[in-house]
Every structure is written in C-alpha cells, then in structure tokens.
Amino acid sequence: MTEQASAETGPPGAAPDYELDRDTTCVARPDAPGVYDTTLSPDWAFGMGLNGGYLLALAGRALGATLPHPDPFTITAHYLTTSHPGPAEVRTEVLRTGRTLSTGTARIVQDGEVRVHVAASYGDLAALDPEVRTSARPPALPSPEECAASAAGAAPFRRSTFMDRSEQLLDPATAGWSTGRPSGRGEIRAWWRLADGRDPDPLALLLAVDSLVPTAFDLGVRGWVPTVELTVHVRARPAPGWLRVALATRNLAGGYLEEDGEVWDSTGRLVAQSRQLARVPRTRQR
Amino acid sequence: MTEQASAETGPPGAAPDYELDRDTTCVARPDAPGVYDTTLSPDWAFGMGLNGGYLLALAGRALGATLPHPDPFTITAHYLTTSHPGPAEVRTEVLRTGRTLSTGTARIVQDGEVRVHVAASYGDLAALDPEVRTSARPPALPSPEECAASAAGAAPFRRSTFMDRSEQLLDPATAGWSTGRPSGRGEIRAWWRLADGRDPDPLALLLAVDSLVPTAFDLGVRGWVPTVELTVHVRARPAPGWLRVALATRNLAGGYLEEDGEVWDSTGRLVAQSRQLARVPRTRQR
C-alpha cells in the first residue's frame, strides 16, 4: 500500500523531471498511513513565503494519492501562516468515500505547526458526462505574440524565482500597473504555461489560478496581498498548450478583497474556476 | 468555560425565540472541549435532507463559540452525505489563533458519521477598516411589492417546510421556470428575509446564499441539485431589513454546475459572496 500510494503521487504520464512534479513529490510514510514526507522547494518562493498555488498543488497531489478518485473537483485551502522552503509533512485524512466522489483533508505541517489546511472532494474527470451547456466565454486576449511584445513592462515583477516557473504573457490592457498606470478595474488577464514545457493537468490548474500578478496591482495596491483562503473548482482536464487565465476583483472593502479566476484551455474550454479571499494591509493601499 | 461557550453560541442580542437561533443552538459538552450537542430541526428540511445553508449556519455558530473571533470571514462546507432531523454533535477544532484572524474546522456528526465538514477563518467585522472601493453594483430588482404581485407562480415550489422559514420575493424575470418557461440564463434574484422578523446577521447570510430556488431551475433542470461544496465570504455585517440575493450559474458541464451568489443589504452594501459546486443528476437535465 505504501508503494501504491507513492506511485500514485505522480500525475498520470508525468515525466519525473518536470519542475512541478519534482517539487510536489510526496513519499508515503511506511509506518503512518496517509502521512507523506515532502520538501518544499525554494524555487516557488514568492512574497514573504511560498506561493499558495504551489502549496495547494502539493497538498492536492497527496490527497490524490490517498483518496480513491484521482482529480480534485473542488478543493479549498486555508493559509494559516507562511510556509518556508525545507522539509514538511502532509497529513491526509479520508472523510468519506463514495462511488463518484470522495472527500478528505490534507494538512501541510512544518516544525509541528499546521501551515496550510486543505479540504477537497475528488472524482474522475474522465468519467464525467460529456454534455457542456455554458454561457461562459473565454476572455478576449490579444495573441501571445502581441502580449509578449508589450510584456517587458512587467519585468520589475519578475524578481522572484516563482515567476520563472511559468511563462506569463499579460494582456497589455491589464499591465498598466507595471508602468504606474493601473486601470482601477481590478482585472489581470494572461496567457500562461509552465516554463519547462510540462503540459497542464488538474494540478497545474491549482497552480495557475494563483500564479499571476495579483488583481490588487490593477487597483493601485502594491506589495504582498496574502491569501486567506483559496477555492478551486476543476471542471475539465485541460488540453495541452497555452492556458488563458482571467482574474477579477470587484469588491475591495474593509481591508480584504476577493479574487475570482477562470482558466481556459487551448480548445476554449473553461477548465477551472477559482475564488480567493486576500488581505490588503492598509499601508499597501494608495 | 462550558457556560461561556454555550452563552457565546447565541448571536449578540438575538432573541432566543427566533427560529434560526432556536434551531442552531449548540450546547458545549462539559467533558469534551470544542464538542457541542445539538438537534437538527425538521423545520429546515429540503429536498432529500436538511438545507445546506442551515447546516452551515449551525456549524458556523459552533465555530464562533470555539474561536476567539466572532464572525465568519470565509467559511467552506463539504457536504458528505445527507443530514437528517434529530440529535447531532458538532466537533470543532482550532487550527490557529492570530491577532486579526483565527481558523478552525467543524464537523457535524450524526450516527457516528461525519455528514458535513466545515473549515473557516473568523475575524471581527466590526473592527474592519471602513474603506470600501467596489465596482460591484446591487442587482436591479423590481420593488418587493412588484415582485410579490407575481410571486404566486412560485407556489408549487413552496411544498417544503424550509421555504416557510423565509420570505422570498422572486424577480419575475427569473421566475419563468415556475410556469414552465425557464429563461435558460441560469439566474435567480429575490428579495429575502427571515419569516419571523429576525434581523439579518452573518449567520443569516450563510443561510441566505443557499435559500433560493436553485439556478438550475432557470436552466430547465428540475429536481434536487445536491451541493458538493459551498464557500461563503462574509464581507460586512448586514443592516436590518430586506436582503437582495442574486444567484447565477454560467457553466453546467459534466453533470456539475457552479452557483455564484451575492447578498446585498438594505443600504446597498455587498455583505456576502458565495460559490457552490453542485451535482446535476443526468436524469434531471431536460
């Protein structure tokens, strides 16, 4: 069972040398069912700690190894305190196993402290009814080439090893913050893919929704906007190629804001929806 | 401590004889810190079990008694299996206590089975920075009188004791489903308040977001659409009076749909945002 669990921690067909797979490796502890040893990689450092999407993907991978179903349908993380590069353990618990869905929790524990708490329901995306009835439309983005041509403006933001893990081609219409002219609409849109050529899968979607410049920047808020809670619904397995990620904030109030995300794959399918609640330190507001 | 905890389970200033307060009473167990005895009331029965918003409010009340902060800022429930009227216990756990936020979990357990798992971060709404910068606008609803005049069409749906706990005045533009003419837009809007005159508070908001006709009805889907997961962000303490609740679904795919909710208070303030993932049994789709 230990062998099975640790075998299952790899997304199907994933090459072991891709960054996301390497840095979310969880090794089942022989003496403790559902407990995994892992190492949080400094390559995903961002702001004052590690990126929340990376931590969610890591916890999500451990849950996928513990639960009988492979894919996160809805997964929620509460970020209790900053996680740091280095050894950590992921403690999972199965709450219920059903025919089409199973539900469990995962805790990323470092120095004996719970840093991230995750609760999720997993299913099998491949087994879903093929019918799609949607009124959602992909964001209107200029081509990757057009976005790339003006993406230089975002350079100052790239001083983070985390930003090197992915390619982000910002819609120029949402890049005004990088030259001191935020639109005030609270919108960020971009083409996104993993920098090392790894194709997107559900774990990559958990990362993608928390990988862009925060919408707060487009509202004139600078600096770190720590995530309190992040929920992602994975609605379909993404096709290979570029993803389109659209983030929007409508309500900055009382020092908190919501950030809604949509992820579209290269076939124009809505593959993930996300929402997070983030804190906006008063000093960061202009 | 027992007395303190069970005293704290009542919303500030709530009269004991209001239905929501009566039916979410949690009594701290003297011998088990963080564990509460409660009785799930048949008055909130809906579909095949008890309403998810009622169960969330009950778990949220127990968490508010356990955590040092009073108000749910972001709260997520996973509904594992149907809860039934009768005795239940709520097992809470404090994960972390901070200066402005504290985080914990609550489990509604019945017959030794976890029926609902809740994870949440609590804070103090009264202590929030008063600044509001929002681009969100309240839904354009006809007056309560105009909505009431045409609400008769919704009568068939009222065959549920749950629907009698609140007054719902549907926007006629989103009531076509009641006469066999759903708009297909997946929108439901209504004026909402508790039927017994209880003023809204954060607990009532947890109920309100899951209290209207499901958006699936406006998509031509009939029958029970069970909630898999529901997350609510409470953004402000609501003013007394009618609430405006707007629900929308954009993506029905693979037998699942998201339902996004917004709740506005009588002063026109956005007081809550919600999103749920719900399952749509194939047989229910037209």
Side-chain angles (χ1 to χ4, degrees):
Chain A
M1 172 191 172
T2 300
E3 279 165 21
Q4 180 197 15
S6 85
E8 282 179 9
T9 60
D17 59 346
Y18 286 123
E19 295 173 333
L20 181 61
D21 304 312
R22 180 195 66 211
D23 297 338
T24 56
T25 301
C26 296
V27 178
R29 197 175 289 173
D31 57 343
V35 179
Y36 301 85
D37 289 304
T38 188
T39 303
L40 305 183
S41 165
D43 292 356
W44 306 81
F46 184 74
M48 291 170 59
L50 293 165
N51 169 261
Y54 162 64
L55 295 169
L56 183 59
L58 188 146
R61 184 169 168 182
L63 263 176
T66 302
L67 296 170
H69 295 95
D71 304 311
F73 277 23
T74 174
I75 183 166
T76 293
H78 287 79
Y79 299 91
L80 311 184
T81 179
T82 309
S83 302
H84 300 289
E89 61 181 47
V90 185
R91 298 180 188 159
T92 65
E93 178 186 14
V94 178
L95 292 172
R96 184 165 196 271
T97 295
R99 190 176 52 80
T100 59
L101 289 176
S102 52
T103 300
T105 65
R107 299 168 182 214
I108 297 179
V109 179
Q110 227 175 7
D111 311 324
E113 251 193 354
V114 179
R115 302 294 172 95
V116 183
H117 179 277
V118 172
S121 292
Y122 276 54
D124 183 354
L125 289 170
L128 291 185
D129 173 343
E131 186 185 41
V132 176
R133 289 163 56 184
T134 186
S135 61
R137 297 285 165 261
L141 276 174
S143 71
E145 297 67 28
E146 295 170 89
C147 292
S150 62
F157 194 71
R158 295 189 166 279
R159 264 193 249 98
S160 148
T161 62
F162 169 71
M163 297 301 282
D164 297 329
R165 305 279 75 73
S166 62
E167 281 184 85
Q168 310 190 5
L169 304 177
L170 272 180
D171 180 343
T174 68
W177 58 269
S178 64
T179 51
R181 293 189 303 276
S183 79
R185 290 187 306 270
E187 297 176 353
I188 297 289
R189 291 182 295 273
W191 296 92
W192 187 91
R193 66 183 176 191
L194 287 162
D196 61 7
R198 181 188 186 281
D199 282 329
D201 68 352
L203 289 187
L205 297 178
L206 303 186
L207 174 68
V209 297
D210 196 41
S211 292
L212 300 186
V213 177
T215 51
F217 281 34
D218 191 47
L219 291 171
V221 177
R222 297 307 296 260
W224 196 40
V225 181
T227 302
V228 175
E229 172 264 329
L230 168 62
T231 295
V232 185
H233 296 178
V234 176
R235 304 299 302 272
R237 178 168 287 277
W242 283 105
L243 298 173
R244 278 166 288 184
V245 182
L247 305 178
T249 293
R250 298 169 65 224
N251 193 53
L252 166 55
Y256 289 83
L257 57 76
E258 91 287 359
E259 185 176 281
D260 285 353
E262 289 184 348
V263 185
W264 302 78
D265 73 5
S266 57
T267 70
R269 173 112 189 230
L270 178 59
V271 290
Q273 292 167 296
S274 69
R275 173 172 289 165
Q276 67 171 264
L277 184 70
R279 195 141 40 83
V280 183
R282 181 64 164 156
T283 56
R284 306 269 167 71
Q285 300 178 37
R286 284 231 191 89
Chain B
M1 170 184 170
T2 300
E3 278 164 23
Q4 181 199 16
S6 78
E8 282 179 8
T9 59
D17 59 347
Y18 286 124
E19 294 173 331
L20 181 60
D21 304 312
R22 181 195 65 209
D23 296 339
T24 56
T25 300
C26 295
V27 179
R29 199 175 288 172
D31 57 342
V35 180
Y36 301 84
D37 289 303
T38 189
T39 303
L40 305 183
S41 165
D43 291 356
W44 306 81
F46 184 74
M48 289 169 61
L50 292 165
N51 170 260
Y54 163 63
L55 296 168
L56 183 60
L58 188 146
R61 184 170 169 182
L63 263 176
T66 302
L67 297 170
H69 296 93
D71 304 311
F73 277 22
T74 174
I75 184 166
T76 294
H78 287 79
Y79 299 90
L80 310 185
T81 178
T82 309
S83 301
H84 299 289
E89 62 182 48
V90 185
R91 299 180 188 157
T92 65
E93 178 188 14
V94 178
L95 292 172
R96 184 165 195 273
T97 295
R99 190 176 52 79
T100 58
L101 288 176
S102 52
T103 301
T105 65
R107 299 171 181 212
I108 298 179
V109 178
Q110 227 176 6
D111 310 323
E113 249 192 356
V114 179
R115 302 293 171 96
V116 183
H117 179 278
V118 171
S121 292
Y122 277 54
D124 183 355
L125 289 169
L128 291 185
D129 173 342
E131 186 185 40
V132 176
R133 291 163 56 184
T134 186
S135 60
R137 297 287 165 259
L141 277 175
S143 71
E145 296 67 27
E146 295 170 273
C147 292
S150 63
F157 194 71
R158 294 185 166 279
R159 263 193 250 96
S160 147
T161 63
F162 169 71
M163 297 302 281
D164 297 329
R165 305 278 76 72
S166 62
E167 281 185 85
Q168 309 189 8
L169 304 178
L170 273 180
D171 180 344
T174 67
W177 57 269
S178 63
T179 51
R181 293 188 303 276
S183 78
R185 290 188 306 271
E187 297 175 355
I188 298 289
R189 292 184 295 272
W191 296 92
W192 187 91
R193 67 184 175 190
L194 288 162
D196 61 8
R198 182 188 186 279
D199 281 330
D201 68 350
L203 288 187
L205 297 178
L206 303 186
L207 174 67
V209 298
D210 196 41
S211 292
L212 300 186
V213 177
T215 51
F217 281 33
D218 191 47
L219 291 171
V221 177
R222 299 307 296 261
W224 197 40
V225 182
T227 301
V228 175
E229 172 264 330
L230 168 62
T231 295
V232 184
H233 296 178
V234 176
R235 304 299 302 273
R237 179 169 287 277
W242 283 105
L243 298 173
R244 279 165 289 183
V245 182
L247 305 178
T249 292
R250 297 169 66 225
N251 193 55
L252 166 55
Y256 289 82
L257 56 77
E258 92 285 2
E259 184 176 282
D260 285 353
E262 289 183 348
V263 185
W264 302 78
D265 73 6
S266 57
T267 70
R269 172 107 189 237
L270 179 59
V271 291
Q273 292 167 295
S274 69
R275 173 173 288 165
Q276 68 172 263
L277 183 69
R279 197 142 40 85
V280 184
R282 181 62 163 159
T283 56
R284 304 269 167 70
Q285 297 177 38
R286 282 235 191 88

